[in-house]
Amino acid sequence: MTHAMQQTDDSVLELFQSRMTNGYIRREDIRQELANSGILRDDPRVKLLYHALDLCEERISEESFHELVAYAPTLIEQIFRGSLIVPDFPSFCSKLRTFFHDTAAQKQGSVATYIPQLARVDPDKFAVAVCTIDGQRVALGDADDFFCVQSCSKPLTYLLALEELGDEVHKFVGREPSGKTFNELTLNAKGLPHNPMINAGAIMCCALIKQGRDPADKFDHILQRWREAAAGMRVGFNNAVYLSERQTADRNFALGYFMREKNAFPEKVDLLQTLEFYFQCCSIELTAASLATVASTLANGGMCPLTGQQVFQPDYVKNCLSLMSSCGMYDFSGEFAFRVGLPAKSGVSGVVMVVIPNVMGLCIWSPRLDELGNSVRGVEFCKRLVDNFSFHTFDRVNGLQRSKLDATKSLSEQERAWKISFIWSAAVGDIPEMRRLIARGTNPSSPDYDGRTALHVAASEGKAAAVEFLLERDIDLSPVDRWHHTPLDDAIRHEHVDVQALLLQAGAKTHSQLQEEAVQ
Ligand code: GLU
């Protein structure tokens, strides 16, 4: 047996021992642990594992556990060690359910009516779906209903154009927000579309993809890439939407002719075919669940978390996310970047696709739109999400009071880390850091495993300023550690006279004084 294999065996044994009672693990407990972590049964990475689990005995021995783990060694290790990107997935999901429920109360806005197919959609439909970069998934509401992606097709169209032409793409389309509505008849100073996230720019990208190829091949190509980004989930096409889009597309035709008049297109572009391709892209259908997976592929630098396939190149994903950040939410893009601070793309079907880089992708679908064309509930849900979790790109700015939750750490891990950090800061007398940690919600009286508090260590180390800082707070003055010492005992033992004076003045006691008082 090689050294590497030996190591793997040892760590599997460790995992087994961490969960076993009386020499076995219950099959149900493993199923439960997988489900809690958000790794679902239809995940291609665990299909075989689930199948093997079904065939296992109720009680899983060490030997069968080794066989099971072999189906998805890394994933099982991550799940059992709590090292998936959102370690406490059930708590995260429960927060999402609350936001979902609260947002569902919103009934403002109205569905898009420019084509009958969109006007007929049930306005009360509502879905939220999440897929993390480790493939943890949750879907709420109507997450299995198909809807057309509309403008959510634009990021993918842009990515495919980049893939073929690289930076050349920007000889044909700009990178600035237009400051105008998505279908405004306007081009930039160079006579080019402002960016790929508005109609003119997306039509241009459609012209750049597979130039000169048969329209059917072009469509197959884009459909195939959608499927890959969605981990092979079903990607549909709504022919009625397509036909309707084509019928009522005067503005898009106008944009096309305007660009052609300005010589914006590469040579030999068939304008009619290009526009038809654009309408087809808008009529592609996904569910909230599958679109969240596409968003997670973008969040994961172009690699689909469920299949491990590198669907898009990371540097192009970076370009795409940059433009989604500045131009993805119609005329609300600047406000969305300010308020929510995440790359997102919205479409008139009421969809909002949100990317939290290196963490997760989300899709919110609710057909009622506000006056700017964004889903009312979609925007509202995003606001709630970033009000509670530190997902805004600039939530990590130094010195910011961190009162939000970090979904990438479990709550106990965060609290423990802050507590230890606080005690450590007291030991070295780092008052600004102590201030910051209190602002984040750290309790200044919290003891460590040995019952030592910040006041104990500051007193032992003779950090008078830190002791003074602590005494100004509402804290326990005479906590007792596991060796029966109070902070005053520590100050006396280490002969820090100034600290002793501060503690005595505040009314702190030694352990023996406390005992005497208890007897009386
Ligand atoms: N098919 C729509 C159009 O081109 C897309 C609108 C959108 O979702 O922004 O008018």
Side-chain angles (χ1 to χ4, degrees), residues 106-152:
Q106 295 269 354
K107 302 270 184 188
Q108 294 112 291
S110 36
V111 300
T113 50
Y114 74 98
I115 55 171
Q117 283 65 26
L118 287 179
R120 270 186 231 127
V121 174
D122 177 355
D124 284 323
K125 288 282 177 184
F126 186 24
V128 171
V130 165
C131 177
T132 73
I133 57 156
D134 282 329
Q136 299 164 276
R137 284 177 294 158
V138 61
L140 309 173
D142 305 305
D144 293 327
D145 282 25
F146 279 84
F147 53 84
C148 48
V149 291
Q150 292 291 348
S151 272
C152 266

Side-chain angles (χ1 to χ4, degrees), residues 67-83:
E67 284 166 16
L68 274 179
V69 172
Y71 287 104
T74 318
L75 197 56
I76 295 279
E77 175 124 14
Q78 282 179 298
I79 296 169
F80 274 51
R81 295 196 193 280
S83 65

Side-chain angles (χ1 to χ4, degrees), residues 114 150-151 154 182 199 245 252 278 282 330 346-349:
Y114 74 98
Q150 292 291 348
S151 272
K154 290 173 169 124
F182 70 103
N199 286 18
E245 289 279 351
N252 288 322
Y278 168 75
C282 292
Y330 305 122
S346 121
V348 286
S349 48

